Amino acid sequence: MRHYQCDSPEAAARIVAACVLSDGHVGMDEIEALDRHGIEQRLSLRPRQFLAVVQTLCEDLTFAAYLNWGDVCRLDPVIVVQLAADVQDWQMRRDVIWLCKEAIHADRHISEGEAGFLRLLRAAWEWPEHADWARPREVIRLVRPHRVK
């Protein structure tokens, strides 16, 4: 698996990408939700860099056989812990978890893989389940306003 610098935009984006992949595929609903919620701005990514991170993660996982394919795509828990270790900044962690949550709710269905990924991520970061999931104040400004025609 490629290495990203700790607390880098790519390291944070890779966790969100892994969450999106945790149900076995990347849906347009998820990508559109992340775009609506300003993933690139929130994580300081360049335009279309998130999709490049998703592609790179897929290549790394396929090449290294870190996946256990059943009915859904499940990352080895050890890999989730390794990905989580690359983000130490508390605010970045909050943003990553919030973006993951927004992505997995986009299709109005939370799969077992998605729920399991979030459990592993929260455990790796020792993040309480009852943590405040309210939308971070800074994100409100990033969400694109609806235009009236």
Side-chain angles (χ1 to χ4, degrees), residues 115-131:
F117 182 89
L118 277 181
R119 276 193 302 275
L120 289 169
L121 183 60
R122 282 196 306 258
W125 284 342
E126 298 178 359
W127 197 279
E129 274 193 60
H130 62 278

Side-chain angles (χ1 to χ4, degrees), residues 1 18 57 61 66-67 75-85 117:
M1 181 140 345
L57 177 62
L61 293 173
Y66 289 120
L67 296 177
L75 278 174
D76 183 329
V78 172
I79 299 304
V80 177
V81 170
Q82 289 174 354
L83 296 177
F117 182 89

Side-chain angles (χ1 to χ4, degrees), residues 3 10 22-23 41 44 48 67 76 96 112 118 139:
H3 175 73
E10 296 86 359
S22 65
D23 66 353
Q41 298 93 338
S44 300
R48 293 178 298 284
L67 296 177
D76 183 329
V96 165
E112 182 182 323
L118 277 181
V139 174

Side-chain angles (χ1 to χ4, degrees), residues 57-77:
L57 177 62
C58 289
E59 291 168 1
D60 288 348
L61 293 173
T62 302
F63 179 73
Y66 289 120
L67 296 177
N68 176 16
W69 288 92
D71 293 334
V72 294
C73 172
R74 291 192 182 99
L75 278 174
D76 183 329

Side-chain angles (χ1 to χ4, degrees), residues 14-131:
R14 180 167 56 182
I15 294 170
V16 178
C19 181
V20 170
L21 286 167
S22 65
D23 66 353
H25 70 284
V26 179
M28 280 309 297
D29 289 341
E30 296 163 329
I31 297 299
E32 289 170 358
L34 290 170
D35 185 50
R36 267 193 321 276
H37 293 293
I39 186 170
E40 291 172 343
Q41 298 93 338
R42 192 81 199 138
L43 299 181
S44 300
L45 297 165
R46 294 182 311 276
R48 293 178 298 284
Q49 190 177 9
F50 178 67
L51 293 177
V53 169
V54 172
Q55 181 177 347
T56 300
L57 177 62
C58 289
E59 291 168 1
D60 288 348
L61 293 173
T62 302
F63 179 73
Y66 289 120
L67 296 177
N68 176 16
W69 288 92
D71 293 334
V72 294
C73 172
R74 291 192 182 99
L75 278 174
D76 183 329
V78 172
I79 299 304
V80 177
V81 170
Q82 289 174 354
L83 296 177
D86 285 341
V87 175
Q88 297 293 314
D89 179 78
W90 183 87
Q91 183 60 49
M92 188 175 279
R93 285 178 174 184
R94 179 183 167 116
D95 292 342
V96 165
I97 287 181
W98 185 80
L99 287 164
C100 286
K101 183 177 172 266
E102 291 301 317
I104 66 174
H105 282 97
D107 61 1
R108 295 178 179 84
H109 170 74
I110 301 173
S111 72
E112 182 182 323
E114 292 166 334
F117 182 89
L118 277 181
R119 276 193 302 275
L120 289 169
L121 183 60
R122 282 196 306 258
W125 284 342
E126 298 178 359
W127 197 279
E129 274 193 60
H130 62 278

